[in-house]
Amino acid sequence: MILEDSVLEKEISQAVIRRMPRYYRYLGELLDEGVERISSGELSERMSVTASQIRQDLNNFGGFGQQGYGYNVSFLYEEIGKILGLDQNHNIIIIGAGNLGQALANYMKFDRLGFHTIALFDVKEELIGKNIRGIEVLHVKELDHFVKTHDVDIAALTMPKSSADDIANHLVSLGIHAIWNFAHVDLSIDAKDVVVENVHLSDSLMQLSYNIVKNK
Amino acid sequence: MILEDSVLEKEISQAVIRRMPRYYRYLGELLDEGVERISSGELSERMSVTASQIRQDLNNFGGFGQQGYGYNVSFLYEEIGKILGLDQNHNIIIIGAGNLGQALANYMKFDRLGFHTIALFDVKEELIGKNIRGIEVLHVKELDHFVKTHDVDIAALTMPKSSADDIANHLVSLGIHAIWNFAHVDLSIDAKDVVVENVHLSDSLMQLSYNIVKNK
């Protein structure tokens, strides 16, 4: 049950990775219920996916299961946590301290997963100095100094789309390698080593609306 | 260039549908720039997807292109809008008037797409009666009456996950068929004709964190 480097190094599809947080969530719930081990069949029923899908997904990372024993819940929970990088802390800054930025800063759940918001930035004078759960809203003009003097892993972009591209590229030039983009625009970032995760809320709404119409 | 019913009736994969809002967005930008027609090659370059992907995607809906002419931008924009149900208005109620609920109610962009928030609901007394862009926060105890006396198409769930399942099933019993779920839980809804679109923010953050670790 030891992860081999060769297994971890192979390219795993983003579709598989997209399913991992869900495994992590269900395993966490099992842990809370005091369940120590679970068969792929039981896990399959609970998660409404096939047992073969579960085995295939987890085989990407070297398996974790033992024939006739099933999965050790806390071991699997921890290993998936490591795969997802949750054994590390990640500091987040939020650019745009409007409702959405404040909503993100308020999610205590993110802290429990190791994602800590350490500052918000905005240009609106009435927001500067505001305090959200002890996290301060700073003026954007302090951004450069802040990033240079703090350990920032992720920048969340929750400001209007018109300035998203400029800010994103500026953040990358300051050495930030991960962008959580809520602005409704595809960012054009030249640097190859920057990862971007988009949350396009209106796309999600359109997907819903397509299914409403299709269902009628 | 006429859509045939037979074409529309076949099952189109959700992966294709997920790409449609992006086409819609790019075509809208082209319209704003006054571009009347575009070849699949030019569109491909602009969107950073292959021309063959574009042709394949649009062929699911009957094509839209003419050999040697390319795509008529405004026609394609409107047709994709219809496919996505954007030629209709959709009324939204938001359950949970915290920061996230207020952020959603504040997005004027949704209105431009035909998604109109008509009320927010909460249980916190200090929020009841609050007004967001003219949209009122009502007490959850008024929910039943409101839904029965208004045309509600979509319920957005932005309250804590502990009550999400109960509220979702209650909304379905009131006749709501579409749920936009921000609560970090898989809803268990028995009714077959209900569509659910999930926005799991912490899953998105974990996906980002996986890619950060992989990139190191």
Side-chain angles (χ1 to χ4, degrees):
Chain A
M1 302 222 285
I2 291 163
L3 285 176
E4 290 171 37
D5 282 346
S6 58
V7 173
L8 274 183
E9 274 166 21
K10 100 179 157 180
E11 188 70 26
I12 293 160
S13 83
Q14 291 288 317
V16 173
I17 300 307
R18 289 216 174 262
R19 288 195 287 270
M20 285 298 127
R22 191 157 174 266
Y23 286 105
Y24 190 75
R25 174 152 47 94
Y26 274 84
L27 290 162
E29 288 170 10
L30 286 166
L31 271 184
D32 288 346
E33 294 168 23
V35 177
E36 287 174 16
R37 60 170 158 151
I38 191 164
S39 67
S40 60
E42 289 166 298
L43 188 58
S44 139
E45 197 168 318
R46 195 160 171 134
M47 293 185 63
S48 304
V49 291
T50 66
S52 113
Q53 169 91 78
I54 292 179
R55 281 191 295 269
Q56 268 179 41
D57 280 348
L58 299 182
N59 276 340
N60 279 293
F61 305 99
F64 307 124
Q66 264 181 318
Q67 197 70 37
Y69 174 87
Y71 297 106
N72 176 319
V73 175
S74 72
F75 177 78
L76 187 52
Y77 179 77
E78 274 181 35
E79 289 301 316
I80 292 181
K82 283 184 207 162
I83 290 165
L84 291 172
L86 304 180
D87 55 337
Q88 305 173 20
N89 281 311
H90 301 274
N91 288 339
I92 303 182
I93 56 171
I94 297 173
I95 319 295
N99 282 305
L100 182 58
Q102 292 189 33
L104 296 182
N106 256 318
Y107 267 113
M108 285 181 292
K109 188 186 165 71
F110 296 159
D111 280 293
R112 289 199 298 271
L113 294 168
F115 298 93
H116 307 293
T117 300
I118 55 173
L120 295 97
F121 292 87
D122 212 297
V123 289
K124 289 211 184 95
E125 288 301 338
E126 66 268 29
L127 291 170
I128 312 302
K130 193 172 170 169
N131 193 304
I132 296 145
R133 286 202 303 135
I135 310 158
E136 207 182 352
V137 181
L138 304 172
H139 196 282
V140 163
K141 67 188 175 202
E142 296 182 54
L143 184 60
D144 289 29
H145 180 70
F146 187 92
V147 172
K148 284 172 189 158
T149 53
H150 292 77
D151 201 5
V152 179
D153 302 296
I154 297 170
L157 306 188
T158 53
M159 31 21 124
K161 76 176 207 176
S162 54
S163 46
D165 226 14
D166 286 346
I167 290 268
N169 279 289
H170 184 66
L171 290 163
V172 168
S173 77
L174 291 172
I176 291 178
H177 289 88
I179 310 268
W180 198 21
N181 177 41
F182 288 79
H184 198 218
V185 62
D186 295 327
L187 301 174
S188 55
I189 295 170
D190 281 336
K192 286 264 176 290
D193 58 345
V194 176
V195 291
V196 177
E197 170 75 14
N198 293 303
V199 182
H200 288 327
L201 295 177
S202 37
D203 288 13
S204 165
L205 206 41
M206 289 186 217
Q207 172 98 3
L208 185 58
S209 138
Y210 169 82
N211 285 314
I212 291 172
V213 173
K214 197 191 67 170
N215 243 24
K216 268 183 183 161
Chain B
M1 303 223 284
I2 292 163
L3 285 176
E4 290 172 38
D5 282 346
S6 60
V7 172
L8 274 183
E9 275 166 20
K10 95 179 161 184
E11 189 69 26
I12 293 159
S13 83
Q14 291 288 317
V16 173
I17 301 305
R18 289 218 173 263
R19 289 195 287 271
M20 284 299 127
R22 192 158 174 266
Y23 286 105
Y24 190 75
R25 173 151 47 94
Y26 275 83
L27 290 163
E29 288 170 11
L30 286 166
L31 272 186
D32 287 345
E33 293 168 23
V35 177
E36 287 174 15
R37 59 169 160 155
I38 191 165
S39 68
S40 61
E42 288 166 299
L43 188 57
S44 139
E45 197 168 317
R46 194 158 173 138
M47 293 185 62
S48 303
V49 291
T50 64
S52 111
Q53 169 90 77
I54 292 179
R55 280 190 297 267
Q56 268 180 41
D57 281 347
L58 298 183
N59 275 340
N60 279 293
F61 305 98
F64 307 122
Q66 266 181 316
Q67 198 71 35
Y69 175 87
Y71 296 107
N72 176 319
V73 174
S74 72
F75 177 77
L76 188 52
Y77 179 78
E78 275 180 35
E79 289 301 317
I80 292 181
K82 282 184 208 163
I83 289 165
L84 291 171
L86 304 180
D87 55 337
Q88 305 173 19
N89 280 313
H90 302 274
N91 287 340
I92 302 182
I93 57 171
I94 298 174
I95 320 294
N99 282 304
L100 182 57
Q102 292 189 33
L104 297 182
N106 256 316
Y107 267 113
M108 284 181 293
K109 190 189 164 67
F110 296 159
D111 281 295
R112 288 199 298 271
L113 294 168
F115 299 95
H116 307 293
T117 299
I118 55 172
L120 295 97
F121 292 87
D122 212 296
V123 290
K124 289 211 184 96
E125 288 301 338
E126 67 268 30
L127 291 171
I128 313 302
K130 194 173 167 168
N131 193 303
I132 295 145
R133 286 202 303 134
I135 309 158
E136 207 181 353
V137 181
L138 303 173
H139 196 283
V140 163
K141 66 188 176 202
E142 297 183 53
L143 185 59
D144 290 29
H145 179 70
F146 188 92
V147 172
K148 283 171 190 161
T149 52
H150 292 77
D151 199 5
V152 179
D153 303 296
I154 299 170
L157 305 188
T158 54
M159 30 22 123
K161 75 176 205 177
S162 55
S163 46
D165 226 12
D166 288 345
I167 289 268
N169 278 291
H170 184 65
L171 290 164
V172 167
S173 78
L174 292 172
I176 290 178
H177 291 88
I179 310 269
W180 198 21
N181 177 40
F182 288 79
H184 197 217
V185 64
D186 295 327
L187 301 174
S188 55
I189 295 170
D190 281 336
K192 286 265 177 289
D193 58 345
V194 175
V195 292
V196 177
E197 170 75 14
N198 293 301
V199 182
H200 289 327
L201 294 177
S202 38
D203 287 12
S204 164
L205 206 42
M206 290 186 215
Q207 170 98 2
L208 185 57
S209 140
Y210 168 82
N211 285 314
I212 291 171
V213 173
K214 198 193 67 169
N215 242 23
K216 267 184 182 158

